[in-house]
Amino acid sequence: MGSSAAQADYAAFLEKFIPNYMGPRNIAECALVEMEDVRQAKAVLSEISQFPFMMSGMPRPVRARPAQVEMFDERPIKPGRRIQCRWLEENDPDFEIAREMKRLTNKHAAEAAFLQKKQLQEEEKLAKQQLDTLKGNYKKYEMVDSIMADGTARRLARHYNLRVAED
Amino acid sequence: MASSDDEADGLPQWVSNYYFEDDKDEPISFAVLPIQWKEGESQYGNKELIFLHGTTDNGLQKIYKHVIAWRFDLSDVNPQIYVLSKENNWIKLQKPRKSFEDIIRTILITVHCLHFLKKNPEASGKSLWDHLSKVFSLYEVRPSQIDLADHLPLLREAVTRDDTLAKSKFLCTFLNESPGKTKLCDENVQMTAMSGFIVDDVDDELLDEEDDESNEVEDVFDSVCAFCDNGGNILCCDGRCMRSFHATEEDADTCESLGLLQEEVDGLPTFVCKNCEYKQHQCFACGKLGSSDKFSGAEVFPCVNATCGYFYHPCCVAKLLHEENKAAAEELEKTIAAGGSFTCPIHKCCVCKQGENKKDLQLQLAVCRRCPNSYHRKCLPREIAFEDIDDEDIIQRAWEGLLPNRILIYCLKHEIDGELGTPVRDHIKFPGIVTAVEKKKETMEETKKKASDFVGNKVRDFSKKKNLAIENLSPRRNALKTAKQNLKLSSSKNSKKIVSVSDISRKGNVNASSRKLLRGNARSVSIEVDRSSTADENKPSLGNRLYDFMKGSGQVKPIKQDTHDAKVSKSEAVKLSTKKLSSAAPSLDADRERSLLALMRDAASSITLEEIKEKHKVPCGYAYSSKYNVDKNITLGKLEGSMEAIRAALGKLEEGFSLEDAEAVCEPAVLKQIFNWKQKLRLYLAPFLYGNRYTSYGRHFTKMEKLQEIVDKLHLYVQNGDMIVDFCCGANDFSVLMKKKLEETGKKCSFRNYDIFQAKIDFNFEKRDWMTVQPKELPTGSRLIMGLNPPFGVRASLANKFIDKALEFNPKLLILIVPPETERLDKKKPPYDLVWDDEQSLSGKSFYLPGSVDDNEKQMDQWNVRTPPLSLWSRHDWSAKHKIIAEKHGHLSKQQEELDIEKNHPENRIHDHPVDSHDHCGVNSAMIDDLPAQTDGPEKIRGGTVVSKCDKESSPRSKGDGESLQNEGYVKNLPKGYSKRKRKHDNEELGKQNGEISSDNKMDGGRPRHASPNIVDSRSSLENSQTKSREIPSHTEIGENGHQHFEPSTSGSRLQFAAAYGGNQAGISDDMGRMYYKSGNVSYSSGTHWQSMDVSPGSDYRGRNWEEQLAGRLRGSSDSLSHRSYGTRVEEMPTRDSDIRSQVRLYGQQDPDLPRHNYLAGHDHRYSQIESMPSTYGHPSMAADFSSYRMNASAVDLSYRMNTSAMQRYAPRLDELNQFARPMNTFGFEPSIMNVNGFYNYPESQPPRYQNSPMGFVPNPRHPYPH
């Protein structure tokens, strides 16, 4: 526990956040964190992946992976690659292809949004479940505690000649 | 049988703590060895190499032998087992190593069984098992036939070779039949029952240290399936019914079970049965459902017994309870209906009407599982037998070992179904799904064909779990399984379709899926249908139906192009969907959504809990704890039931019912269980309950400056070429600091640092679990210096582990920051010597939480709730050397003191730390601790500082290093602790003083342990022994007879004490007065002591040891009165003790009256300026209370208590006033007395005291203080 926090502490720089283009919602974002050297970076990666859970099985809200060029939108373009734009007429042979691609992109976006929604639901469900468990257990604890606190249990224990600890 | 007595002397005759290993170092049972039936008979054909490990010679000698055969000897009182070593020497096996017990359990049981049967050939199975359970009572699992079954060949052989055994009825029958069904399940039941309660953390809320047996928590709740009354893998209802069920059909062969899927069970956080969900429970008498909802007019009411869980109609149970007396029954019915509690008839034997006693075998109850009817074991009719008796037409109706300490029976009212072995299982009614149950029954009888029709008809209902009939379930499961298998084999596209087939059955959305299936590809459709049908022979109708449906709706055109597969070639896609393109909206159709969901489900199901556990191996020490049990075993229902029962039981007792009546409601085991549960829950919830203070489990690093302090001290002990090992290095600062320091002083050392997390600084760091480091990886022990701040764990369990591991390396020095309750190293084998320890330096904010920042982005510090002492331990052969170093550099005492003064001075005033101290130090010591503070300037300051510091700290404080500083440390803690307790006292009733005190004692109990070493160190040998003797009682102490406990060390001296004062007491005749007086003196004298010594025996003043202490001092007889001369520094004065003793005496004689009475007077008149006086007295008197309690427990009076508590309450304030005390001091009393009183110069302390204890003191104003 606490390792991610420890890691954050060790991090040399928090370089910048990478916007999540999945949507405007309040969802996870990536951040570029630069360590002092490769060894440290590797250590962070392995620690975080090794301990994915926190107390009570809560998923650790941080994951780590090595940075790649593709993650950054301001990366320089590949040498020799140029993007060209042109208007396609309806009778253009490429028209349908382009249209299909457009549709596909839309579809993918919709699918991603759907998955995203589901994912958030799942997360919420898990959080709720964990909260419920915690609450349930806390309720139990309070219940036991109440019987201890008002002395009932202790008095009965005395009647029974049970020895119990004062806590 | 001493076969080899004349063998060479060197050969061991017996071995204990043994275990066997094969050549791969795997533990193995000796039963695999060839057995030797007769002397000299040899058949050593065994090729396996088996080695015996163990100790002999009272554990002094280790054994490692190659063994080749074994034999047993039944002729003795206890069966003896021998193994033959390679040297042809028979070695008797004594006690196995604990961890090995399970491996040889079955063979031990077998041998014991043979032994018992040889002695009692006539014995029945029952008595055998009873005997064996007794013998193996320490094992978690009761012996059962299944254990014998493992060694059938051995038994057979034994029977043929031994005539007596051949006569045994039990063995013969046993060998001729294989163990029956229920018996086989025994083990499972018990496994589940027990495993839930294996306490892997040492949480002993119940102080059962002496009797370990009772420490083993038994399950008091039964854990058999409510349907089939059998054990196995069961699911516990969270509700009030407290029943358990087989959740899935696989869990038990003949049980109809709840019909859930394993996945469903895993997904359930808590399971609540339908009865509890709808609050509709069956009356156990009449079997009818009724509302049990107390808030909306309940019809049935639960039995109040904590473990019962049965509900009854008031009329039904009243009739049963008062069969003859109709009027009484009516009366009872009314009370029950009005909410009165009742104990149902099942808790009394129906023959003799007596209650049960689970501890007495004969008085255990045999309870019917179908109706409220039970018998004592002794009252059990013959017809209810444990085994079938064919001649008399008796079938088995009773089973042992299924219910905890009870016998499970079906009474004679119920006809046993021949096939099931139980009565017909129609006894459970769930509300709301009655029809489903009926259907279940129907389908049971119906033919397969009909069942399959049913499947077809009910497709839509599949998603409703409650309507699931078992028959329907299995096909569905099969379908799912096959679908999954296919998934792996077939292309992704196909597999998705198959999944969707299973979707169909789940969602029942036939239309949608048919469309999909029709997606223009007849072949794939047919394949799919084929698959689903072939995959599931039980369900032909579904497949056919689908197929028909498809044919029928063959005209339906593909509406949607499936483009989810990126591999679908574009051109194809374009062609197929040209016309539809315009309609492609960003929103997804149901079809697509479903396949996405299927994808998600797929991904989810590919992750299993087992895999995760496997993959993320936690370092040992953090292993999976009892958390799971908290969730699953402590059910709300059980808890509610227990709560009610406890209250009811207490109510009964208070109404004057007998203990037995109360126990019928709530047996002691339940109460015990509750205490245990609380402990468990507390542990589990610790992170949430304690928040910031929750220190032990998370990581906390020692702060740099503290490390530097440690380094400054430690480096002196380091020699050139040593290796310094930090076994839990955290940020790894320690080594770096150490290295720097050592380089400065010209020493060259190597370093090794371990931790399970990557350290910030990787100087000589190795990311590794300390437990996995092998001794050969590090240099020899005499060059090793190890230690520092390991994780603590619950009750220092982790710290102990780390230390034990470290001891494997035999380091010459161990430096440790561990909680005080850690097992001391001088108790280890071999013992280490304490060079010094320091309970001060790490108090307060000595640790930080790595990586955690607060609101202001500042590193979060951590308050110690209790200061873990820093200690330096030396291997025995080095300790002399190390002690010399310690002495030379003043580590033993002074240095620390000064350090602390410097350090803590600034904090002087901060008395009210947010964190409460939970100290239980003796009040007396607290009071007295103040005294020295006043003697002179610097000391006063010290007093203040420490006060503020120690606030955080706990027991370790009792150290007696000969420093006033340390003693003063208690000042703050104590009062707080006490005032807290005081509140508690108030809550309780008056008559409980003894109890209270006992609790105090108990609380103090732990401390001496920590204290003693220091005392030992810093004091003369004479005292040394004194301390020790004191220590002993403290360990065993149990409050009520504290008096007696002290006896050993004090009685003689106490007499003396009494005598000394006897003469002076003429004026005070009554008992109380005398006591008071006496105690007054006591405290007084001790005050004196303090002041004069300024000093070390801090521990002496722990409340508990008060009179001992005093006595000890009184014992001395030297009369020199020179206490003044001991003003400040003490360590150098070995003789001080005796002097002080004399002083004490002197005081006693000088001011005989002093004790109680003068306060008011003093305050008002003569001492008006010196208000300190009264308060001074206040303290002693209060201290006196304590001592007097213990000295004359019987004479204790309420007023004392009042005083005590009042004092306690105000004690902290007094302390805060410390600073003001100094000026008061100048009031020029006679030096000696002056000082004594001066300490207590807290003007404000007095009034409160009087207010609170009117009865104690006000009435007795006497002449003023004699001085």
Side-chain angles (χ1 to χ4, degrees), chain B residues 691-793:
Chain B
N692 260 345
R693 277 168 41 189
Y694 176 62
T695 66
S696 328
Y697 304 87
R699 282 161 61 86
H700 57 282
F701 294 173
T702 321
K703 279 191 176 172
M704 280 284 261
E705 55 265 32
K706 296 291 179 186
L707 286 174
Q708 187 63 52
E709 274 173 42
I710 297 169
V711 165
D712 287 344
K713 275 168 110 178
L714 184 66
H715 79 95
L716 297 163
Y717 300 85
V718 181
Q719 289 175 318
N720 224 344
D722 284 348
M723 173 180 271
I724 291 143
V725 179
D726 188 343
F727 50 51
C728 195
C729 64
N732 206 2
D733 290 322
F734 178 69
S735 294
V736 176
L737 290 173
M738 198 72 195
K739 182 165 184 258
K740 210 172 120 210
K741 188 77 188 181
L742 289 173
E743 271 168 5
E744 277 169 21
T745 52
K747 289 176 200 165
K748 274 212 150 177
C749 292
S750 49
F751 296 87
R752 210 48 95 69
N753 304 297
Y754 299 99
D755 205 326
I756 47 169
F757 296 115
Q758 178 66 45
K760 187 174 181 177
I761 305 161
D762 54 351
F763 166 71
N764 281 316
F765 175 79
E766 199 176 334
K767 187 181 155 186
R768 212 161 145 198
D769 185 354
W770 169 239
M771 300 299 157
T772 64
V773 180
Q774 294 305 314
K776 54 179 181 265
E777 294 173 49
L778 297 176
T780 68
S782 45
R783 285 174 53 208
L784 282 179
I785 296 171
M786 286 187 169
L788 231 59
N789 190 6
F792 294 169

Side-chain angles (χ1 to χ4, degrees), chain B residues 918-1142:
Chain B
H918 288 301
D919 272 348
H920 311 306
C921 307
V923 180
N924 311 5
S925 65
M927 301 302 90
I928 288 132
D929 285 342
D930 264 353
L931 298 177
Q934 299 310 314
T935 33
D936 53 45
E939 253 156 44
K940 180 198 130 210
I941 289 162
R942 222 181 293 143
T945 55
V946 181
V947 165
S948 62
K949 240 191 127 189
C950 290
D951 182 10
K952 301 244 71 199
E953 210 187 318
S954 66
S955 39
R957 216 48 300 286
S958 46
K959 188 172 164 191
D961 254 358
E963 299 165 8
S964 62
L965 173 73
Q966 303 211 333
N967 299 324
E968 287 153 21
Y970 267 123
V971 169
K972 181 68 182 175
N973 291 336
L974 307 184
K976 264 203 171 174
Y978 267 90
S979 61
K980 261 197 173 168
R981 211 168 312 149
K982 198 269 168 182
R983 254 167 266 141
K984 244 192 246 161
H985 291 196
D986 285 344
N987 290 339
E988 309 217 10
E989 268 145 53
L990 303 181
K992 285 203 239 142
Q993 286 162 8
N994 275 346
E996 294 302 340
I997 288 157
S998 72
S999 73
D1000 289 343
N1001 287 341
K1002 223 187 284 161
M1003 283 162 152
D1004 287 341
R1007 236 159 1 90
R1009 247 175 287 178
H1010 312 301
S1012 55
N1014 299 316
I1015 295 163
V1016 170
D1017 271 355
S1018 59
R1019 291 216 241 144
S1020 68
S1021 60
L1022 188 134
E1023 280 182 73
N1024 206 324
S1025 61
Q1026 217 178 305
T1027 340
K1028 283 213 167 125
S1029 68
R1030 218 179 302 134
E1031 207 177 328
I1032 297 155
S1034 71
H1035 284 294
T1036 54
E1037 187 183 12
I1038 321 148
E1040 276 121 70
N1041 40 2
H1043 176 54
Q1044 275 151 19
H1045 277 301
F1046 289 111
E1047 208 102 308
S1049 49
T1050 63
S1051 57
S1053 41
R1054 193 146 16 93
L1055 280 178
Q1056 206 182 340
F1057 172 70
Y1061 289 15
N1064 300 324
Q1065 295 197 350
I1068 305 145
S1069 56
D1070 66 307
D1071 240 293
M1072 253 176 64
R1074 200 173 57 217
M1075 250 175 57
Y1076 211 79
Y1077 168 61
K1078 210 200 261 173
S1079 40
N1081 274 323
V1082 172
S1083 44
Y1084 214 88
S1085 54
S1086 55
T1088 313
H1089 180 162
W1090 268 93
Q1091 178 245 350
S1092 64
M1093 302 183 60
D1094 166 27
V1095 185
S1096 59
S1099 55
D1100 292 1
Y1101 291 91
R1102 264 166 286 118
R1104 284 201 317 98
N1105 296 327
W1106 187 255
E1107 46 298 322
E1108 264 174 77
Q1109 194 54 40
L1110 186 77
R1113 237 171 289 126
L1114 288 170
R1115 220 182 289 141
S1117 55
S1118 93
D1119 279 330
S1120 68
L1121 221 178
S1122 53
H1123 85 266
R1124 206 35 186 149
S1125 62
Y1126 296 106
T1128 39
R1129 239 346 41 87
V1130 187
E1131 311 89 56
E1132 300 99 354
M1133 306 191 167
T1135 55
R1136 64 185 187 269
D1137 243 353
S1138 56
D1139 289 299
I1140 286 142
R1141 275 176 222 145
S1142 59

